[in-house]
Amino acid sequence: MAMTVTEKILSRNAGRSSAVPGENIWVNVDTLMTHDVCGPPSIGIFKQRFGENARVWDPDRVVIVPDHYIFTANPQAHRNIGILRDFVKEQGLKWYYDPDFMNAEGMPSPYADPSRTSYKGVCHIALPEEGHTRPGEVLLGTDSHTCTAGAFGQFATGVGNTDAAFVLGTGKTWVKVPPTMRFVFEGELPPWLMAKDMILAVIGDIGCDGATYRAMEFAGSGVYSLNMEERMTLTNMVIEAGGKNGVIVPDQVTLDYINARIAKSGTRSDFEIIENDPGAKFYFEKHYDLSTMEPRVAKPHSPDNKANVSEVAGTQLTRAYIGSCTGGKVTDFVAAAKIIDGHECKVPTFIVPATTEVDAELDKVQVNGRTLRTIFREAGAQIGPASCMACLGGPADTFGRLNDAAEVCISSTNRNFPGRMGHKQSQVYLASPLTVAASAITGKITDPRDVMTFDSMREEAV
Amino acid sequence: MERMIRGRAFVLGDDIDTDQIIPAEYLTYNPSLEEERKFFGKYACCGVPDAQSGLPDGGIPLVAEGAWASEFQIVVAGKNFGCGSSREHAPLSLAVAGITAVIAEFYARIFYRNSVNGGYVVPVESTVRLVDEIRTGDELEIDLDQSVVRNRTSGKEYQVKELGEVLPIIEAGDIFEYAKKAGMINS
Ligand code: SF4
């Protein structure tokens, strides 16, 4: 029977010859990821159910990435890091990225040098950077944006603490096999658009429940012309349409990225590339012509509250935010720096690299002969250390958090539900880093084409 | 599992995401620790904007100021309940607040799964839009054998969907109890 890539991965990990959408099957999990918010309760349930002396099913397949509540004085946040450290030691876990600068109570003084800390930052970007994403595998994570890793041709999805505890003890989980929706982007992405515009268009079209219980596959020349960071922006936000997983079948770009990372980190290299069978059935298929697409936003308070930037242009803002797993990668900052260079930010602008690696790149990557960090600093933007930061609000002392009801923020993050970035009356517009940067230097929502002349050809940034 | 669930209704709208059910600032508490678990009841649904909290009138918090649990037992909501983050703290906070069941038109996948696998609340799916029919404070009765909801305040009765394939897990209590019964893990 012809199967989609998602059905094939699931059937293989279930030890079966087929997997039909709608079936409930038990699958072996290749990697389990958790972080500082959901790790401690998952560990709690694991011990409660499997016993105080229980061992995890495979210490090489558990990856722990603290990232959410690092730069805060909140005492429970510090305590939670302690729980992770104890568990890592007790179980002999190899893949743990400790915030080694968090030693005492109060606000930790950030890592002195991003290239000399074991700390990584946001888990969904740390996983591929550290060689933990592999085609054909099943990755579960206690975070809904675990779907990001589907950009590497694997089945990756978010689960709760109970499921994670169950996997810790057994290495298995049950999955309802999802039917696949296919989104094909034709043509080349114009330089004023980014992957964020593509995924906001999809979510706007199908709604924030449009892919519930389904897989979303991205294909077409428009997808394969993107680098891995941009592809990750597509799969990152499938959860904003309710999708179970997002997937992009690997090509040479994928393999080059993965092989380099695995070689650097010494992680498992025994993966298999899985593609759609000829004649595989898709539940739904939609084609997009990139040459006719416009810069997009999601208006408050839902990622599917769609508009073209031109429809909301001129909306007054109180701040701009560029960061998170979806909008805080090197490609995102290069795009923003091209627009911001030589200008002054008209509203407080917050720059938050997703990981310490991205942070280190801010000093290496140049635009117009100057580093990204210099460009942002000179424009008056505030640069924070790598973490989730205000993407999810967090404790009140979080860098960039919207603590006031009157805040109107344009953000490269992925969610704008009420209260997501702080105060429940504050308003968040989601947009591409290009649009956020254009809006930062004018103080109101602005189409990137109104502040910069783009060459007709797109240059590859990283 | 109780086949008959009774309680007072608390009504919410569409797309209630997990940040509204339990805002991120409270996720520093560890629900595995008894003394911190109670905070999840206190703050349950405190992120819902006031006008949308306790429909149709709004302005009613699920958990009263200063209280640790709710005076309501059944949440009634519209489409896509529990969308957003995978935080299991969301169904857990409803359970700690004293909610035993949710009736929504449909659920976001991870919330539904967490509710069932963790044994927190029974996620019932309605066949009609109950948000426009039921008022916060109405006395409800969910009859799981008959798959109906009776509004004892208005006297009306509505069909709900059968629990279907997740019923064995709900009946066992949670995914661990289910796996023990199925012989997958040792007791
Ligand atoms: S950056 Fe935001 S969306 Fe990404 S993992 Fe952190 S909180 Fe979640």
Side-chain angles (χ1 to χ4, degrees):
Chain A
M1 201 193 67
M3 290 189 281
T4 65
V5 52
T6 296
E7 291 154 18
K8 274 167 90 173
I9 296 170
L10 292 175
S11 72
R12 202 181 64 153
N13 276 41
R16 299 161 46 127
S17 57
S18 74
V20 179
E23 271 185 304
N24 284 309
I25 57 175
W26 286 90
V27 298
N28 291 322
V29 175
D30 293 297
T31 303
L32 177 76
M33 186 279 297
T34 189
H35 52 47
D36 57 310
V37 172
C38 295
S42 300
I43 292 166
I45 299 171
F46 169 72
K47 295 201 168 242
Q48 195 189 334
R49 298 309 187 115
F50 293 99
E52 271 305 315
N53 300 320
R55 308 297 300 174
V56 303
W57 99 102
D58 186 340
D60 270 356
R61 290 173 184 266
V62 179
V63 183
I64 302 187
V65 195
D67 57 356
H68 278 61
Y69 301 150
I70 307 299
F71 301 101
T72 170
N74 180 293
Q76 282 87 23
H78 289 253
R79 187 272 324 274
N80 287 343
I81 299 298
I83 294 177
L84 297 180
R85 285 175 178 160
D86 290 347
F87 189 68
V88 164
K89 210 159 148 206
E90 165 196 305
Q91 301 284 332
L93 305 182
K94 192 169 167 192
W95 310 113
Y96 171 59
Y97 302 94
D98 187 53
D100 44 16
F101 46 87
M102 259 176 119
N103 289 324
E105 289 171 5
M107 180 66 78
S109 48
Y111 45 81
D113 177 350
S115 61
R116 287 178 204 277
T117 167
S118 55
Y119 174 68
K120 283 297 296 180
V122 182
C123 57
H124 310 300
I125 306 305
L127 282 177
E129 283 178 356
E130 294 299 302
H132 296 294
T133 52
R134 275 174 292 268
E137 292 198 349
V138 171
L139 166 81
L140 297 189
T142 59
D143 191 286
S144 59
H145 291 106
T146 303
C147 51
T148 311
F152 298 89
Q154 61 185 134
F155 177 85
T157 194
V159 297
N161 308 333
T162 297
D163 277 330
F166 193 90
V167 175
L168 281 174
T170 65
K172 291 187 193 320
T173 195
W174 66 270
V175 180
K176 189 184 175 96
V177 181
T180 298
M181 299 171 84
R182 199 159 194 255
F183 300 86
V184 183
F185 289 87
E186 271 135 18
E188 206 176 328
L189 194 66
W192 53 87
L193 294 180
M194 298 186 73
K196 190 54 156 286
D197 297 293
M198 295 162 68
I199 190 66
L200 285 176
V202 168
I203 297 163
D205 286 346
I206 65 173
C208 66
D209 54 20
T212 302
Y213 282 98
R214 292 174 194 145
M216 293 169 76
E217 187 195 329
F218 301 97
S221 57
V223 169
Y224 286 102
S225 68
L226 301 175
N227 68 20
M228 287 317 298
E229 288 194 342
E230 282 280 86
R231 293 184 197 183
M232 283 192 259
T233 298
L234 297 178
T235 48
N236 176 277
M237 287 188 69
V238 303
I239 183 67
E240 270 60 71
K244 173 175 275 184
N245 65 306
V247 72
I248 299 171
V249 172
D251 64 357
Q252 197 55 42
V253 173
T254 326
L255 293 179
D256 289 347
Y257 184 105
I258 290 174
N259 289 332
R261 298 295 174 155
I262 286 177
K264 191 165 151 239
S265 305
T267 43
R268 276 185 290 117
S269 58
D270 54 337
F271 60 82
E272 194 187 319
I273 294 165
I274 299 198
E275 301 184 5
N276 293 304
D277 285 334
K281 285 209 176 53
F282 297 100
Y283 168 87
F284 168 102
E285 186 157 330
K286 190 170 167 75
H287 288 246
Y288 288 86
D289 175 0
L290 288 173
S291 66
T292 61
M293 262 179 62
E294 289 277 306
R296 308 281 292 202
V297 294
K299 296 179 282 183
H301 293 283
S302 179
D304 67 353
N305 194 5
K306 62 177 175 184
N308 287 335
V309 169
S310 54
E311 296 170 63
V312 290
T315 304
Q316 288 295 336
L317 300 165
T318 64
R319 73 170 59 178
Y321 187 98
I322 307 178
S324 84
C325 50
T326 189
K329 302 173 258 85
V330 179
T331 309
D332 301 312
F333 292 121
V334 168
K338 282 185 183 163
I339 292 206
I340 288 179
D341 188 22
H343 293 271
E344 199 185 314
C345 295
K346 291 277 163 28
V347 287
T349 298
F350 296 84
I351 302 282
V352 183
T355 60
T356 47
E357 179 175 323
V358 175
D359 191 349
E361 291 294 311
L362 295 182
D363 291 315
K364 293 184 202 148
V365 179
Q366 299 197 339
V367 165
N368 305 332
R370 282 153 5 107
T371 68
L372 302 179
R373 195 182 306 276
T374 307
I375 290 171
F376 294 136
R377 280 228 176 103
E378 287 183 1
Q382 301 177 56
I383 307 174
S387 175
C388 293
M389 290 296 190
C391 170
L392 87 162
D397 59 358
T398 302
F399 178 76
R401 188 180 191 273
L402 308 185
N403 283 335
D404 194 286
E407 297 282 6
V408 183
C409 179
I410 190 157
S411 176
S412 72
T413 53
N414 46 27
R415 286 194 177 133
N416 61 346
F417 297 120
R420 170 67 179 181
M421 292 185 72
H423 199 287
K424 64 183 174 183
Q425 272 148 16
S426 62
Q427 299 182 50
V428 177
Y429 288 81
L430 304 177
S432 79
L434 281 173
T435 301
V436 175
S439 307
I441 60 170
T442 59
K444 44 190 200 265
I445 297 181
T446 302
D447 190 313
R449 288 168 296 184
D450 291 342
V451 293
M452 192 168 119
T453 333
F454 289 88
D455 303 336
S456 57
M457 289 302 292
R458 186 178 180 79
E459 358 155 5
E460 193 60 4
V462 246
Chain B
M1 182 187 74
E2 291 288 334
R3 312 292 311 187
M4 186 74 82
I5 300 171
R6 294 195 178 87
R8 293 178 74 211
F10 180 78
V11 183
L12 293 168
D14 293 323
D15 297 322
I16 299 295
D17 75 288
T18 53
D19 277 278
Q20 295 182 60
I21 299 172
I22 183 76
E25 60 187 300
Y26 305 117
L27 301 184
T28 55
Y29 294 117
N30 181 356
S32 288
L33 303 174
E34 213 46 61
E35 63 283 12
E36 291 183 23
R37 193 178 174 93
K38 61 177 193 270
F39 286 99
F40 291 97
K42 181 181 174 76
Y43 295 118
C45 286
C46 75
V48 178
D50 298 346
Q52 278 95 56
S53 185
L55 297 176
D57 299 332
I60 308 167
L62 176 68
V63 180
E65 184 78 37
W68 293 90
S70 180
E71 47 192 286
F72 305 98
Q73 294 77 35
I74 297 172
V75 168
V76 176
K79 299 184 206 308
N80 204 24
F81 188 77
C83 58
S85 100
S86 64
R87 63 187 72 155
E88 188 163 312
H89 312 69
L92 179 139
S93 74
L94 294 177
V96 177
I99 299 298
T100 49
V102 179
I103 314 171
E105 285 168 59
F106 62 90
Y107 296 84
R109 186 189 66 80
I110 309 178
F111 179 90
Y112 187 83
R113 186 179 170 105
N114 286 343
S115 298
V116 170
N117 282 357
Y120 299 108
V121 290
V122 179
V124 179
E125 287 184 337
S126 62
T127 56
V128 291
R129 191 166 170 78
L130 292 181
V131 173
D132 302 331
E133 299 272 330
I134 294 173
R135 301 176 66 88
T136 295
D138 283 0
E139 292 285 345
L140 302 185
E141 184 175 278
I142 307 172
D143 181 339
L144 292 172
D145 288 322
Q146 307 272 320
S147 293
V148 294
V149 175
R150 298 185 192 97
N151 185 339
R152 301 201 304 181
T153 304
S154 70
K156 289 191 185 164
E157 188 173 301
Y158 310 92
Q159 202 69 37
V160 293
K161 292 188 187 156
E162 287 186 17
L163 289 172
E165 59 205 6
V166 295
L167 184 63
I169 303 176
I170 297 177
E171 278 181 332
D174 60 36
I175 191 69
F176 291 96
E177 295 305 323
Y178 172 80
K180 273 183 210 162
K181 280 194 179 152
M184 287 186 61
I185 55 176
N186 300 330
S187 306

